[in-house]
Amino acid sequence: MKKTVISLAVATSLTLSFTSVQASTSANASQHQSSEQKVLKKINAEKIYQDIAYLSKKPRVAGTEAEREAATFVQKRLSKLGYESAVEPFTFTGYTPAASFSLSVNGTSYSPTTFTYSTNGNVTAEIVDGGLGTKDNLANKDVTGKIVLVQRGTITFGEKVLNAAEKGAAAVIIFNNTDGELNGTLGGANDNYIPSLAVTKEEGDKVLTSIQKGEKPSGTVKIEGAVVSERTSYNVTATKPSTFKKKGTNDIIVVGAHHDSVAGAPGANDDASGTAMVLELARVFKTLPTDTELRFVTFGAEEVGLLGSEHYVSELSEDEKNRIVGMFNLDMVGSQDAGDLVMNTADGTPNLVTELAQASSTRLNGAPTPFQAGGRSDHVPFAEAGIPAALFIHSPSEPWYHTPEDNLDKISKEKLQDVAEIVGTAIYDRSRPDQQGSSVKKKATFKAPHLYHEQDVK
């Protein structure tokens, strides 16, 4: 009988406990849903679209007046929302592409492309085979005063050019190792570069065959109008402190995008879409209570090597780096012709940003947004500093990526709304005053390669 009494007591206790947990869980879910609605009701894709319309009137190449105007527009919009915002200049070495360039071999004109940071020159000389342009390939070759033909692969374009220059070569021709044009960068300015052009695999193979036959072909490499100079780009920043001075978490969340574009492209999707979404999220969160500091940043000079975000991270104190629990990077988030939304992390592993976003996308859409390894955008410098960060982007990219066709009529308001809702609710899930979620420890610092967003480097 005693056992029966004890069993009944335990059963009653368990029932009451389970009922209590159910009630608590239900209350928390209701509270969470109510908080989330505060964000969802505020997000307006039309406002994002209108800001894209303004920003994408013309290309916003880093270091130009158009980029400065874009930065000023962002800063004024943030100030109008009530933020203390700032335009923060930084300098970088910029490159103006050659006004003209040409290549002829034995009097026959070819159709080359040029490399970013290639230097001017007018060289007529014998063309010799330089293999892949490695130091070993060139070690026993006499290339002094000659044009060296090298194939793409193994090392970067810049290394190939420097290796040839070190051996006394006068110019370099790099030919592709696959079909199609070769568009690339030497990676940065260098006084030791010599004139360099690129040709297709078919054209390169033709010249190589001539060399192998012992014909000693003569070539003329001509590049004019390329300019390397010191330039100024801009980051734009605004901060929303914790609403609660004494009860805040002391954590920081960064929401960022780049406002520059490539030459010739109005950059409606890349990345006026991300910039405009940062502005919209700043508007949404301005009047919402948060126990976490929120920073809204648009970066300059992303398209020439993630320079704005690198500069921003380099200026952070160790205390700030330790306090930043997540960086949400918005890049190309509105094209109607791109694929589905994905997240990229620099090392391919999950972090607080991906976990928050997967939770919010599951609640909103019934399935978690997938993530994968990927660099080539402004989340990378944050990840290199040990800060959890992820890129939000649609994959595969639209066909007119980095072309004059990246304009407003390719933007989908539905995609803008979807991404803004996922990111906005993910951020609020971590920053709302009643949030109970556990923080994810930041990953160890690692050094990911700097992968340029728009051009091949090898």
Side-chain angles (χ1 to χ4, degrees), residues 200-273:
T200 64
K201 183 178 186 299
E202 180 182 4
E203 290 176 326
D205 284 340
K206 182 178 179 181
V207 179
L208 181 60
T209 298
S210 174
I211 295 170
Q212 291 171 340
K213 288 180 177 179
E215 295 175 351
K216 296 187 176 181
S218 175
T220 297
V221 171
K222 189 175 183 179
I223 303 174
E224 295 180 325
V227 178
V228 175
S229 62
E230 186 101 328
R231 302 176 190 187
T232 301
S233 184
Y234 310 89
N235 291 335
V236 185
T237 63
T239 299
K240 179 183 186 293
S242 168
T243 309
F244 310 95
K245 292 183 179 180
K246 294 184 178 181
K247 295 184 179 180
T249 62
N250 202 40
D251 293 337
I252 301 170
I253 291 175
V254 177
V255 189
H258 71 91
H259 55 245
D260 66 312
S261 74
V262 298
N269 192 45
D270 187 16
D271 185 30
S273 64

Side-chain angles (χ1 to χ4, degrees), residues 4 70 74-75 108 196 292 336 342 400 414 420 434 454:
T4 303
V74 171
Q75 188 269 333
T108 300
S196 312
T292 299
Q336 65 185 12
V342 298
W400 20 84
E414 290 75 17
D434 57 343
E454 86 280 19

Side-chain angles (χ1 to χ4, degrees), residues 59 63 142 257 321 398 456:
D142 177 15
K321 291 177 185 178
E398 64 274 17
D456 293 323

